């Protein structure tokens, strides 16, 4: 049994998109789009399990601001990450369109369900490899390693998230541990 290898460098987003396009028959990959304020983000639909309405959460003590709490999803405890707070923009205000996107992440070779709290879910769109540009070197409102690429959709760009980096469970666990030590 091989141990998982730590990723040293980010893959070229066009290579990732090309692999997704090839897996989908060459037509492109489908992405779920959602809003955080005025910005439009997207993530590969194959990682999304479901979308649910915002619901009350159980707060967990000594968690960073971006961990809003946990929800009971058919008997499973699912942590909910406030994506606005994770991106350093302060906690989101819950509105009528606020949703939780349940997606699969991997930790130590095991599938883990996480929830992402977003302002609103928009639609599922198809983006081909040719429509994806690399993340910008500067001026991005999100850490560059969180971005798979910039999808050109009409006259606008959609920020394609790399969810396993943006919502890296190990990195978040380290932040939680650091917060616990600081509080003690």
């Amino acid at each position: 049994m091989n141990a998982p290898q730590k990723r040293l460098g980010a893959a070229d987003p066009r290579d990732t998109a090309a692999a997704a396009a090839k897996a989908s028959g060459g037509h492109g990959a489908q992405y779920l789009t959602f809003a955080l304020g005025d910005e439009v983000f997207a993530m590969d639909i194959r990682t999304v399990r479901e979308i649910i309405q915002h619901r009350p959460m159980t707060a967990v003590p000594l968690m960073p601001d971006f961990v809003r709490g946990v929800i009971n999803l058919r008997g499973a405890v699912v942590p909910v990450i406030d994506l606005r707070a994770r991106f350093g923009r302060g906690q989101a205000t819950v509105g009528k369109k606020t949703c939780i996107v349940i997606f699969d992440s991997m930790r130590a070779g095991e599938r883990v369900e996480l929830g992402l709290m977003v302002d609103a879910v928009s639609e599922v769109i198809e983006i081909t490899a040719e429509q994806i540009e690399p993340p910008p070197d500067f001026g991005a409102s999100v850490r560059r390693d969180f971005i798979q690429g910039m999808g050109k959709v009409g006259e606008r760009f959609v920020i394609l998230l790399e969810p396993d980096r943006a919502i890296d469970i190990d990195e978040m666990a380290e932040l939680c541990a650091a917060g616990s030590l600081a509080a003690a």
Side-chain angles (χ1 to χ4, degrees):
M1 184 162 87
N2 294 335
Q5 295 181 347
K6 186 169 182 161
R7 200 166 100 178
L8 297 175
D12 184 330
R14 288 177 281 201
D15 293 343
T16 306
K22 185 176 180 182
S24 65
H27 298 291
Q30 292 187 325
Y31 292 87
L32 174 70
T33 60
F34 54 89
L36 289 179
D38 293 333
E39 293 180 292
V40 179
F41 292 84
M43 61 191 290
D44 191 325
I45 194 72
R46 293 174 295 178
T47 63
V48 176
R49 304 256 312 166
E50 62 187 291
I51 301 162
I52 59 175
Q53 288 183 318
H54 184 271
R55 57 178 70 174
M57 296 175 215
T58 302
V60 180
L62 302 177
M63 290 289 120
D65 288 344
F66 60 82
V67 179
R68 286 296 279 256
V70 296
I71 59 172
N72 179 343
L73 187 64
R74 292 180 293 283
V77 176
V78 177
V80 177
I81 308 303
D82 179 339
L83 207 50
R84 275 180 172 260
R86 175 68 174 131
F87 292 163
R89 298 180 179 157
Q91 285 196 334
T93 303
V94 177
K96 291 180 183 179
K97 295 183 178 183
T98 302
C99 294
I100 300 172
V101 177
I102 306 296
F103 80 103
D104 287 333
S105 185
M106 295 299 286
R107 181 176 190 195
E110 292 187 32
R111 182 182 64 80
V112 178
E113 285 184 331
L114 290 174
L116 294 180
M117 192 171 97
V118 300
D119 292 343
V121 170
S122 303
E123 62 184 329
V124 175
I125 59 174
E126 188 169 303
I127 302 176
T128 65
E130 294 78 31
Q131 293 173 292
I132 298 177
E133 294 294 325
D137 286 330
F138 63 90
S141 60
V142 178
R143 275 183 27 193
R144 190 171 195 270
D145 60 325
F146 289 1
I147 303 173
Q148 176 190 16
M150 305 295 291
K152 291 186 279 185
V153 180
E155 296 296 316
R156 64 185 172 129
F157 279 104
V158 174
I159 301 169
L160 306 178
L161 287 183
E162 184 69 60
D164 283 336
R165 287 290 307 134
I167 317 299
D168 183 325
I169 296 171
D170 293 326
E171 180 181 338
M172 290 190 303
E174 289 172 12
L175 291 172
C176 292
S180 296
L181 289 174

